[in-house]
Amino acid sequence: MTLTLAEVEHIAELARLTLTDEEKERFREQLSDILDYADKLLALDTGEIPPTFSVLPPRSVLRPDRPHPGLSLEELLRNAPQTEQDQFRVPPVLE
Amino acid sequence: MREPVEFTVLEAVQAIQKGQISSRELTQVCLQRITALEPTLRAYITLTPDLAMAQADAADKFLAEWRQYPQGALPPLLGLPIAVKDVLCLANVRCTCGSRILENFIPPYSATAVERLLSAGVVVTGKTNTDEFAMGSSTENSAYGATHNPWDLQRVPGGSSGGSAAVVAARLVFAAMGTDTGGSVRQPASFCGVTGLKPTYGRVSRYGLVAYGSSLDCIGPMARTTEDVALLYSIMAGYDRRDATSMDLPVPPIQFSDKPNLKGVRVGVPKEYFISGIQPEVEKAVRQAVALMQTLGAEIHEISLPHTHYALPVYYLIAPAEASANLARYDGVRYGLRESDGDTLELFRNSRGAGFGPEVKRRIMLGTYALSAGYYDAYYAQAQKVRTLIKRDFETAFESVDIIAAPVAPTTAFPIGRHSGDPLAMYLEDIFTLTANLAGVPGLAFPVGFDEHLLPIGMQIMGPHFREDLLFKVGHAYQQATDWHQKMPLLEVS
């Protein structure tokens, strides 16, 4: 499996990552190598094998829906890069 | 009496309880040693000496009041200095995850496992170095620089919990918390000559552990002896309503016998873990350790885990896939680094591009690809099916043996920089540890010798789900009969 530069750019776009030209070329080579290695899985016949969704026995994880004390607004906003009027500030979505 | 820095956890706690040393004195011993050795080891990302002294004084005050009016048992780790890997939240202390993107992130809450140790009385000296978001096997992928192995400063301590392994090995603290997604407690424990546990998946709450691969992530203790690791584990383990994957099962009290006796214990030795390319001294030391278990009464059986060689590609598809989803949260909006004032998409792309290091970007890219339209079935779905085969290998093996014994890593600690630029070579370091995470089984790593460069060699024993007690029994018996775990690296205290 050899990735093209266009494929690398497409993956970076899906992953919302700005990459430099140097990073794109390096990842193109390295990801191709890693995927080559992963190709040994493709040869294995897994027709009847179910995928592992959890290593634990299936069980109900529901609990009573009761309110618990949470974090304060101040604590929640403390790490925000930008806030305004007690909200997270982001660039305008609509002009 | 031995020097306080040489105490085990149990000895340190007893010395405090008996009044032979105060928590303040013991914490000062640790902080002085940290001041002397940290510039050489670089094992911490953030030191918390003020917090540590405040916690130590609170422990001493608690003990003084308890002596006047004894009510109930004392907290089991009262006054004990430890360290916490910097992917675990400790309230009001920055948690960087070894990443620039969280350089200034200060969590408003503590992880459940951290909270439980705090309730048991520990003193936290700081947050230890880690590969960025725990992605790595050498602690070189930290944005804050590499940690040096206390046994040889030119070598890596292993990873990703390399900082925690180094501080325990160098006797800066008595125990440390690590995390293990593909071997990140066991491999650094092996490289640094300490004892470390990867518990059963679901045994220790992951609440407050910054997520990497959520179906694989486990929090585990690192210390010098199996007894110490078992004590910390018994405090951290158990159900937590804040982690839906934590199991609601009782944690039986851990009991140790005075005499090493493994009569009736069936130890399986899987042939797939003794492959060509393994360092001969590693194989020899592990086989000698197995032979010693036999003289202690254990039955040894050669077994097969036939899908072992698929674990590496399975892991390096599933873990990056989960990482690509988990790390989508770093978008420059609610916390973390924010770059650019373009539109919202630019904000996401640039914040992530500037904040993440190369290995994290590589795994996000790999995981995004494995989950993308057209490739999902070939890579991710196929990996989850092969994971089932790996899990079944263990289930079949545990029908005829009680535990499985194997090397932790194919080699001892490698030189800093050896694998830079070759990610696949670095991934191969994890070849023996990934299977336990994929199958969810517990694994205990402990030292079983040294190679010709006087570097520690580790072995791991793995058991069925929720049978940590078996691992402790065998690990403790082995350590009663040997003294590898007591060896201490020679470090110049400046």
Side-chain angles (χ1 to χ4, degrees):
Chain A
M1 168 66 70
T2 302
L3 294 177
T4 64
L5 198 61
E7 284 175 306
V8 170
E9 286 172 343
H10 174 64
I11 304 166
E13 177 55 32
L14 291 175
R16 302 283 183 257
L17 274 176
T18 299
L19 299 180
T20 63
D21 288 345
E22 191 199 343
E23 282 177 318
K24 287 177 195 167
E25 181 50 32
R26 197 179 333 126
F27 287 157
R28 195 189 65 73
E29 289 170 24
Q30 292 174 338
L31 296 180
S32 298
D33 284 351
I34 296 165
L35 290 168
D36 271 343
Y37 193 83
D39 277 348
K40 77 184 205 185
L41 290 184
L42 307 184
L44 201 62
D45 179 10
T46 53
E48 299 297 309
I49 309 296
T52 294
F53 292 113
S54 171
V55 294
L56 300 175
R59 68 212 186 280
S60 169
V61 293
L62 299 179
R63 58 176 162 79
D65 186 16
R66 287 197 211 99
H68 292 279
L71 297 171
S72 67
L73 193 60
E74 191 200 341
E75 288 170 313
L76 284 167
L77 291 172
R78 191 170 67 188
N79 284 289
Q82 282 185 44
T83 58
E84 192 174 311
Q85 296 174 12
D86 288 343
Q87 296 171 70
F88 300 112
R89 191 172 193 281
V90 291
V93 178
L94 298 171
E95 291 300 327
Chain B
M1 196 167 85
R2 287 200 283 161
E3 286 295 314
V5 291
E6 292 178 53
F7 286 167
T8 64
V9 167
L10 287 171
E11 288 168 343
V13 168
Q14 281 161 13
I16 292 171
Q17 288 184 0
K18 287 179 186 159
Q20 292 162 348
I21 192 166
S22 67
S23 176
R24 167 171 268 269
E25 288 163 337
L26 196 60
T27 302
Q28 277 172 336
V29 165
C30 290
L31 292 177
Q32 281 163 10
R33 202 165 159 83
I34 290 168
T35 305
L37 291 172
E38 174 58 12
T40 313
L41 296 172
R42 306 186 65 89
Y44 284 91
I45 291 176
T46 305
L47 286 165
T48 55
D50 296 342
L51 173 69
M53 290 314 295
Q55 288 170 330
D57 286 342
D60 289 333
K61 184 161 171 270
F62 186 99
L63 185 60
E65 284 168 7
W66 186 87
R67 283 213 179 93
Q68 285 193 313
Y69 309 101
Q71 272 189 331
L74 279 170
L77 301 175
L78 188 65
L80 180 83
I82 68 157
V84 176
K85 184 179 181 182
D86 205 22
V87 292
L88 291 160
C89 290
L90 170 62
N92 304 315
V93 173
R94 79 170 176 153
C95 184
T96 70
C97 296
S99 182
R100 286 283 167 225
I101 211 162
L102 289 178
E103 189 167 7
N104 300 307
F105 176 66
I106 298 176
Y109 63 91
S110 292
T112 299
V114 172
E115 193 73 59
R116 289 182 181 176
L117 292 186
L118 290 171
S119 300
V122 297
V123 166
V124 180
T125 57
K127 304 291 293 291
T128 54
N129 200 11
T130 167
D131 289 294
E132 187 174 357
F133 288 101
M135 298 181 194
S137 315
S138 69
T139 317
E140 291 167 291
N141 293 337
S142 168
Y144 303 89
T147 293
H148 299 259
N149 189 315
W151 292 93
D152 178 347
L153 298 171
Q154 307 306 314
R155 291 175 188 263
V156 303
S160 65
S161 309
S164 287
V167 295
V168 172
R171 274 56 174 173
L172 303 186
V173 288
F174 300 94
M177 296 177 78
T179 66
D180 192 315
T181 304
S184 284
V185 162
R186 288 163 289 154
Q187 187 254 22
S190 172
F191 279 16
C192 291
V194 303
T195 305
L197 175 74
K198 172 226 172 288
T200 307
Y201 181 80
R203 195 46 140 167
V204 175
S205 166
R206 292 182 292 112
Y207 180 79
L209 160 61
V210 178
Y212 158 26
S214 299
S215 78
L216 306 156
D217 290 342
C218 293
I219 303 172
M222 307 171 87
R224 284 158 222 155
T225 69
T226 301
E227 277 185 301
D228 288 355
V229 162
L231 174 60
L232 268 80
Y233 158 81
S234 68
I235 294 164
M236 285 157 50
Y239 175 69
D240 175 18
R241 68 172 177 82
R242 291 177 296 186
D243 174 4
T245 59
S246 86
M247 284 295 279
D248 194 359
L249 289 173
V251 183
I254 317 265
Q255 282 158 347
F256 289 106
S257 72
D258 293 337
K259 290 217 177 79
N261 183 356
L262 295 179
K263 198 163 167 31
V265 177
R266 297 166 300 170
V267 178
V269 181
K271 59 178 189 228
E272 290 82 3
Y273 285 69
F274 297 89
I275 49 170
S276 66
I278 187 172
Q279 188 178 330
E281 295 155 296
V282 171
E283 173 162 359
K284 191 175 163 210
V286 171
R287 290 202 185 275
Q288 279 174 348
V290 170
L292 178 59
M293 289 172 188
Q294 190 169 24
T295 65
L296 296 176
E299 295 169 26
I300 312 301
H301 300 269
E302 176 156 313
I303 60 164
S304 174
L305 298 168
H307 296 92
T308 299
H309 65 288
Y310 292 112
L312 191 76
V314 167
Y315 178 87
Y316 279 99
L317 291 169
I318 291 173
E322 294 183 7
S324 73
N326 274 327
L327 273 64
R329 73 191 66 183
Y330 304 103
D331 55 11
V333 173
R334 289 154 302 160
Y335 39 70
L337 183 77
R338 168 176 248 182
E339 282 285 322
S340 123
D341 282 319
D343 65 16
T344 315
L345 277 180
E346 284 298 301
L347 171 72
F348 296 165
R349 287 191 201 104
N350 293 342
S351 300
R352 295 162 63 77
F356 290 137
E359 184 59 33
V360 172
K361 286 180 185 167
R362 190 155 39 238
R363 293 198 196 186
I364 289 174
M365 294 283 288
L366 187 58
T368 303
Y369 183 76
L371 291 175
S372 66
Y375 298 99
Y376 179 92
D377 286 330
Y379 289 110
Y380 183 72
Q382 176 72 354
Q384 290 287 33
K385 288 178 181 176
V386 183
R387 183 179 186 179
T388 302
L389 296 174
I390 291 168
K391 188 171 169 256
R392 286 181 184 171
D393 281 355
F394 278 90
E395 287 163 0
T396 306
F398 288 133
E399 286 170 10
S400 56
V401 298
D402 298 304
I403 63 156
I404 293 169
V408 176
T411 66
T412 53
F414 49 87
I416 290 173
R418 164 162 309 166
H419 297 315
S420 61
D422 189 353
L424 196 52
M426 186 70 94
Y427 298 169
L428 284 163
E429 294 292 337
D430 301 336
I431 195 159
F432 298 147
T433 48
L434 302 170
T435 46
N437 299 81
L438 291 169
V441 301
L444 180 74
F446 49 88
V448 294
F450 289 86
D451 73 2
E452 61 172 344
H453 300 292
L454 293 179
L455 296 169
I457 297 169
M459 85 178 282
Q460 61 176 333
I461 50 178
M462 295 173 274
H465 288 164
F466 304 106
R467 292 307 306 273
E468 284 83 358
D469 62 312
L470 274 176
L471 306 186
F472 296 146
K473 176 181 174 172
V474 175
H476 180 59
Y478 180 81
Q479 290 183 334
Q480 281 174 296
T482 57
D483 63 357
W484 304 116
H485 59 289
Q486 291 169 358
K487 306 284 184 203
M488 194 168 151
L490 290 171
L491 286 158
E492 294 282 323
V493 179
S494 53

